[in-house]
Amino acid sequence: MEQETLQLLVAMHRIVRYLRRTTTTTLHPTQFIALLLIAEEQPIRIGAIATHVPCSQPTATTTVAALETAGLVRRDQDTQDGRATVVILTPQGEETVQAAGRHATEDFARLLARLDDDDRALVLKAGGVLASLAGDL
């Protein structure tokens, strides 16, 4: 089991690196992950971003500031707590998330096309299991 686990980790790492190289984005990986998280969870506080990316609170703050400067997100007052702010996508941020998702999906689909039907179905089924596991992190 140890060898299979290591093989899976190395394969996932190589696939993610490949997709990072082929997907056209000027965002740092942490910014990209944060942007996708914001799209999924908005409105979201910076502390929650730090928890779910995961990264430190200062890194999350710096990441949100960079995304804000790029026009991809904006900060609003938290309706639950007027002392706090939340982060939401701008229209440009929404377009960026949609385009990145399309490109990543297309790039990954090209990789999956190398597999036979049974292996492709197995990988796609494993994706749901891995998404469930990652959702608990």
Side-chain angles (χ1 to χ4, degrees), residues 2 9 28-29 32 39 67 75 79-80 86 93 95-96 105 118:
E2 184 177 324
L9 289 171
H28 181 277
F32 186 66
L67 293 173
R75 297 178 206 216
T79 58
Q80 305 292 323
V86 292
E95 290 174 20
T96 300
T105 300
D118 290 339

Side-chain angles (χ1 to χ4, degrees), residues 66-88:
L67 293 173
E68 195 171 25
T69 298
L72 302 176
V73 301
R74 73 172 193 271
R75 297 178 206 216
D76 281 347
Q77 187 173 359
D78 188 339
T79 58
Q80 305 292 323
D81 180 353
R83 301 168 296 168
T85 61
V86 292
V87 182
I88 61 172

Side-chain angles (χ1 to χ4, degrees), residues 14-23 107 111 114:
R14 290 181 68 197
I15 290 168
V16 168
R17 286 182 57 123
Y18 170 81
L19 292 173
R20 277 191 195 143
R21 284 193 312 269
T22 60
T23 301
D107 291 342
L111 286 178
R114 298 177 183 179

Side-chain angles (χ1 to χ4, degrees), residues 7 9-10 13 21 32 41-42 44 50 56 58 63 69 77 80-81 85 96 101 103 105 109 115 119 124:
Q7 181 181 16
L9 289 171
V10 170
H13 181 72
R21 284 193 312 269
F32 186 66
E41 301 290 331
Q42 65 182 333
I44 185 169
S56 68
T63 298
T69 298
Q77 187 173 359
Q80 305 292 323
D81 180 353
T85 61
T96 300
H103 293 300
T105 300
L115 302 175
D119 285 347
L124 292 173

